[in-house]
Amino acid sequence: MESVPSVIQVTPDLLRKYDRPGPRYTSYPTAVEFSTDYDAAAYFESLAQAAKRPSDPLSLYVHLPFCEHRCTFCGCNVVITRHREVEQKYLSYLHREIREVARRLQPRRKVVQYHWGGGTPTYLSLDEMRALQHVVTECFDIAPDAEAAIEVDPRVTSREQIDLLRAMGFNRLSMGVQDFDPEVQAIINRNQTEQQTRDLFEYSRRAGFGSINIDLIYGLPLQRAETFSNTLKSVIELRAERVAVYSYAHVPWLRTQQKGFDPAMLPSAEQKLELFCLARDAFLKAGYRPIGMDHFAVPEDELAKAVQTRTLSRNFMGYTVKSAPDMIGVGVSAIGDVAGAYAQNQKKLPRYYDAIDKGSLPIDRGYRLSADDQIRRFVITQLMCNFHLDKRAVEARYGIGFDQTFERELAELSAPDGLVENGFVTLGADALQVEPLGRLFVRNVAMVFDRYLANKKSDTPIFSRTV
Ligand SMILES: C[S@@+](CC[C@H](N)C(=O)[O-])C[C@H]1O[C@@H](n2cnc3c(N)ncnc32)[C@H](O)[C@@H]1O
Ligand code: SF4
């Protein structure tokens, strides 16, 4: 088994140099490149192509955007409302969208990765959850061994909902925690007691959920090493199979409520790195294995096994071993990845409704990947997931010469004071290896292979910072 040192020293100079805005690469090219040139007609074409491969499996993502209150740190596409009729209307349109997408995909129906995300999917009533699942299972066949996951907020999820989800075949839960410290919770407008989380966690276990993930965030306002250590201790006691430790994405130009955070309350890059290293150290000592740039999993978990065999993959739903060749996204703002093109739905409800009322699908924008994009996407996914790039595998898969195609990138990596000299990356004749230090900065390593970044001014506020 590969050994992973638990303590990694980063000098202040390296931190200053590499803490800069950069993508998280949930897609390549990133959503910034999506354009309205890719419209509903283009999406119909992508769906028609996908339909020609009826036995290929699908991933299906369903976006449920509603929350009762806004957590001020939140970077997701959410709709804050307590008016139930808003959600009832939304669900009736969502049903129509699912039926239309499924009709265009006929006879392709098999789903191996299924996810309800948000917002807060458990904002839905029991009847609404049943009705949505009814439409999905009428239109698609969820494979018996599918990964069926849902994001649950312990503050608003009832035991009845957990029982129903289990009965409907969901087998994975992802619980939002972020931080248990009351001071941090007050500033992020998210009051969630440890007991509340523990109760739901333990109930879910008894209900038969054998795979539970917990989300934490480091870099939130007022977070400190001492208090974050307490959060880590409590989370480790729960023994979730997976834990995500996300870097707080501070993007106030996109999420205006984040402007309310006094910059003096936000941890510096040094403090942020310290918080992450604290978490990393705590989970490794507790027997978890590191997964990609920000996840940890118990050794028996399939993600941990995939790390050993370098077969880990990643899509908009996160790290996975069940990624299908095409991913369908339904619901407002959802992003799909179908027949070599990304397709994003309208982000505002009126436009989303309008398109469906016109008998169309609510595509706002998208992007058809070129041959070069496909190669770079593979390279970046390998780096982000497996910290290793087998040059020969890239050559065999795409019929290119690696060193010739990536001459500029290899030169950049090897430049004086570059990623190789600084110990982030090792270049071998057959492979590129991201070293333990480079894993903390893997977004910076991936950025070298991003063709689009070179054309962007580095001070343009588009992406969150890499640390
Ligand atoms: C869409 S939320 C859904 C979970 C559910 N609504 C809840 O809050 O429990 C999924 C996760 O995204 C993460 N997240 C949201 N905003 C973020 C931000 N600005 N930076 C980093 N992670 C963020 C949080 O960890 C959250 O649990
Ligand atoms: S973190 Fe979860 S509950 Fe809070 S606003 Fe975002 S989606 Fe809603």
Side-chain angles (χ1 to χ4, degrees), residues 73-76 118-120 151-154 176 178 190 215-217 246-249 258:
F73 69 89
C74 183
C76 306
T120 303
E151 293 168 12
V152 298
D153 176 345
Q178 329 310 346
R190 186 183 176 108
D215 287 341
L216 299 176
I217 301 186
Y246 293 121
S247 166
Y248 166 55
Q258 293 182 348

Side-chain angles (χ1 to χ4, degrees), residues 97-142:
E97 186 197 1
I98 294 170
R99 289 201 169 102
E100 180 59 14
V101 171
R103 188 183 70 76
R104 289 179 178 273
L105 278 169
Q106 280 300 339
R108 191 162 164 193
R109 297 174 55 98
K110 183 182 167 194
V111 170
V112 292
Q113 191 192 19
Y114 177 41
H115 192 113
W116 287 11
T120 303
T122 50
Y123 181 99
L124 269 55
S125 69
L126 295 172
D127 281 345
E128 287 167 342
M129 287 166 64
R130 272 189 211 102
L132 176 57
Q133 181 71 352
H134 179 75
V135 174
V136 169
T137 51
E138 208 178 63
C139 295
F140 294 97
D141 300 325
I142 312 287

Side-chain angles (χ1 to χ4, degrees), residues 28-41:
Y28 178 83
T30 64
V32 175
E33 306 304 327
F34 295 3
S35 117
T36 49
D37 292 348
Y38 185 95
D39 55 9

Side-chain angles (χ1 to χ4, degrees), residues 53-72:
R53 290 176 276 114
S55 52
D56 276 6
L58 293 164
S59 294
L60 176 64
Y61 174 77
V62 183
H63 193 69
L64 298 159
F66 301 103
C67 302
E68 287 186 4
H69 305 279
R70 190 186 299 280
C71 309
T72 41

